[in-house]
Amino acid sequence: MTHNAQPAASLFIDGTFVEGEGAALPVLYPYTGQEIASLREATANQVALACQAAARAQPAWAAMAPADRGRILSRAAAIIRDRNEELSRLETLDTGKPIQETLVADWASGAAALEYFGGLAATVTGQMIPLGRDWAYTRREALGVCAGIGAWNYPSQIACWKAAPALAMGNAMVFKPSEETPLGALKLAEILIEAGAPAGIFNVVQGRGEVGAALVTDPRVAKVSLTGSVPTGRRVYAAAAEGMRHVTMELGGKSPLIVFDDASLEDAVGAAILANFYSSGQICSNGTRVFLQQGIAARFLDRLAERLATIRTGDPLDPDTQFGPIINGTQAGKIRAAIAAGQDAGARLVCGGAGEGAFIPPTVFADATDEMAITRDEIFGPVMTTLTFADEAEAVARANATGFGLAAGVFTRDLTRAHRVVAALEAGTCWINAYNLTPVEMPFGGVKMSGLGRENGTAAIEHYSQLKTVYVGMGAVEAPY
Ligand code: NDP
């Protein structure tokens, strides 16, 4: 079956679709490799035009009553929910992720963010600081034009998670999706206009890394929010620093999931599955280092292999499919090389392996050591490394022995231990007896090399605004001379 997902044009600038004038950008359906849309990159000039449109539109948007801005975002959320099925289908074509997942996890989460920040917009207030006769107050103001740059694993969710708080706070945004998944952000741009957002408030430019680099350094850009890998994050952070721009960096990870002997075996296995194989393992916060206490390790691995044997792999548009292809051949090649390196290093393959074509099955390693590349490096595919440990202190020390710090999970029935362990873990987002749940109400982000700033929750408001302090003199000015 051939699919056509061609948008009206490649870019969205100042309220309308505009054709890109840069290099060709074919969009492939990861399941079949078929070209589903043919886009063109933005030129440097078109990136500048998008920033110009955003800068022109932003002051009037920021001057609106926050409740009015919020209503537009809430309307956009309602439109997304109405069209969830059609949008999810497009997301599946763009990413290859099973429709079973995209129907509940992608645009649904994007709509939740628009609704949440839409509702929050009018609640943001300043402080009144009494100083005796005089007083001071603070205003939380927009930053201006924000640049958003997304990864390919959750393209529409990422666009919404960045646009919602940015727009709620009165900023305008120029968004560059990953070159692999350019379609969802264009839909968001159209939907925002339909919901009543003024032209220029949310613009989309397409292209590879150089287009992102041009966007980050545009003089009108006051803030950059990137979701991507650590190496890209380093480059973008450095480029943003030159203009003293604000940044939010949502980067990669190699997160630990610690399972103590007293954990519910079935729940821990279920969480480890969600922490490694949802979206074919292409999730930044995945708990890919699963630390098993010695008393539970064998039972855990047996049950894990048993449950993974039932996974339904196949056509992502089939509602019964649970596990889809890898985004592209290059990424699949990197994952296969990581699996081969794990075997060469002496780790035991419990299940999975190289797979075929676009598909790599859920792969689990046992008998791994902390020094192996499969334990140290982010693979960004369906590969779980399990390790065993004796006691709590050892688990915490080994879990923290990484440069990453995005997320972590703990499974235990011992309440005090659960809280003690998460307090000791160096990670921005932790789960106790759960994994990978990221409701919009909860701040999300990493520490160490996994990034800075937070998305979602009320915390995100601070990352899309700046504080102005106003001192108010109430009487005569007494000057010494
Ligand atoms: P990349 O870092 O390769 O790319 C991220 C985005 O940055 C893409 O849109 C990319 O464009 C763009 N880009 C690349 N170079 C530059 C540059 N010099 N200046 C500006 N923009 C640039 O990540 P992937 O897309 O491969 O995504 C996978 C990575 O993202 C993993 O490490 C994963 O852990 C992380 N990730 C983190 C999440 C989080 O919330 N913490 C969530 C999801 C993923 P293009 O791709 O078009 O070249």
Side-chain angles (χ1 to χ4, degrees):
M1 187 175 173
T2 57
H3 302 283
N4 182 6
Q6 187 69 30
S10 304
L11 321 179
F12 197 92
I13 299 177
D14 209 8
T16 47
F17 277 102
V18 177
E19 196 43 77
E21 289 164 3
L25 201 66
V27 187
L28 310 181
Y29 180 29
Y31 178 50
T32 57
Q34 182 218 327
E35 187 169 320
I36 53 167
S38 165
L39 271 55
R40 302 202 78 85
E41 291 192 20
T43 59
N45 187 45
Q46 288 180 306
V47 172
L49 285 174
C51 294
Q52 200 179 65
R56 210 171 33 229
Q58 188 267 331
W61 175 246
M64 273 170 73
D68 292 337
R69 286 199 303 267
R71 242 186 308 277
I72 292 172
L73 300 186
S74 303
R75 222 175 286 142
I79 295 172
I80 289 171
R81 291 207 174 101
D82 278 353
R83 297 191 199 148
N84 186 43
E85 211 150 311
E86 162 210 333
L87 291 168
S88 301
R89 194 182 141 80
L90 183 70
E91 192 79 348
T92 285
L93 290 174
D94 213 6
T95 61
K97 295 194 294 179
I99 190 84
Q100 201 182 82
E101 287 190 13
T102 54
L103 278 170
V104 296
D106 293 83
W107 281 102
S109 162
L114 288 159
E115 185 177 57
Y116 177 82
F117 287 106
L120 218 53
T123 71
V124 178
T125 56
Q127 255 185 318
M128 186 279 188
I129 305 154
L131 298 167
R133 182 194 65 181
D134 295 349
W135 56 287
Y137 66 95
T138 59
R139 294 165 48 90
R140 204 153 259 295
E141 298 185 340
L143 295 165
V145 177
C146 299
I149 301 180
W152 43 258
N153 58 342
Y154 278 81
S156 302
Q157 183 195 83
I158 291 171
C160 291
W161 280 18
K162 296 190 190 310
L167 269 49
M169 291 309 294
N171 302 284
M173 178 164 269
V174 180
F175 188 82
K176 189 202 83 67
S178 162
E179 75 191 63
E180 296 295 330
T181 52
L183 303 175
L186 291 170
K187 284 287 176 199
L188 176 62
E190 256 185 304
I191 288 167
L192 283 165
I193 293 285
E194 196 180 326
I201 288 306
F202 183 77
N203 308 275
V204 180
V205 295
Q206 307 287 359
R208 302 178 171 83
E210 317 84 77
V211 174
L215 177 58
V216 169
T217 51
D218 186 282
R220 283 155 290 221
V221 168
K223 188 219 162 88
V224 182
S225 177
L226 169 83
T227 298
S229 62
V230 171
T232 302
R234 267 209 195 99
R235 275 198 298 276
V236 170
Y237 193 4
E242 164 268 334
M244 210 60 80
R245 295 174 182 88
H246 296 241
V247 294
T248 296
M249 294 281 148
E250 294 292 350
L251 309 177
K254 188 78 187 179
S255 301
L257 172 56
I258 304 174
V259 181
F260 286 96
D261 281 347
D262 68 339
S264 150
L265 178 70
E266 211 53 28
D267 291 335
V269 168
I273 288 173
L274 292 175
N276 282 272
F277 304 122
Y278 203 70
S279 297
S280 298
Q282 305 165 115
I283 299 185
C284 53
S285 51
N286 273 357
T288 46
R289 288 185 295 144
V290 178
F291 288 95
L292 303 170
Q293 201 166 15
Q294 279 154 358
I296 202 171
R299 279 181 294 138
F300 181 97
L301 288 172
D302 285 350
R303 185 66 185 126
L304 179 65
E306 213 171 82
R307 283 179 63 172
L308 288 176
T310 69
I311 203 165
R312 287 191 298 271
T313 300
D315 180 350
L317 286 170
D318 178 342
D320 288 332
T321 294
Q322 296 169 321
F323 189 82
I326 301 300
I327 187 80
N328 59 35
T330 308
Q331 188 64 18
K334 285 186 195 162
I335 299 167
R336 290 192 171 110
I339 294 171
Q343 288 176 288
D344 290 348
R348 173 165 63 90
L349 201 57
V350 175
C351 61
E356 256 178 65
F359 284 87
I360 297 177
T363 297
V364 177
F365 278 109
D367 305 337
T369 66
D370 294 0
E371 292 69 39
M372 291 179 183
I374 48 163
T375 314
R376 285 198 329 263
D377 302 337
E378 184 183 44
I379 299 173
F380 217 59
V383 185
M384 180 198 296
T385 299
T386 64
L387 306 126
T388 53
F389 69 94
D391 61 32
E392 180 182 317
E394 180 197 339
V396 169
R398 289 171 62 196
N400 285 340
T402 169
F404 294 113
L406 186 55
V410 181
F411 269 79
T412 177
R413 286 195 173 99
D414 180 337
L415 263 180
T416 51
R417 174 161 63 192
H419 295 291
R420 191 170 57 236
V421 169
V422 290
L425 289 172
E426 296 164 359
T429 309
C430 295
W431 290 276
I432 294 174
N433 294 334
Y435 205 88
N436 261 353
L437 300 174
T438 53
V440 66
E441 296 89 336
M442 185 176 107
F444 176 79
V447 300
K448 294 159 82 176
M449 291 304 285
S450 292
L452 40 101
R454 289 293 176 268
E455 299 204 290
N456 292 342
T458 51
I461 291 294
E462 281 168 37
H463 298 290
Y464 282 101
S465 61
Q466 54 196 341
L467 209 55
K468 177 180 281 173
T469 308
V470 184
Y471 184 104
V472 184
M474 298 292 289
V477 175
E478 283 164 30
Y481 50 86

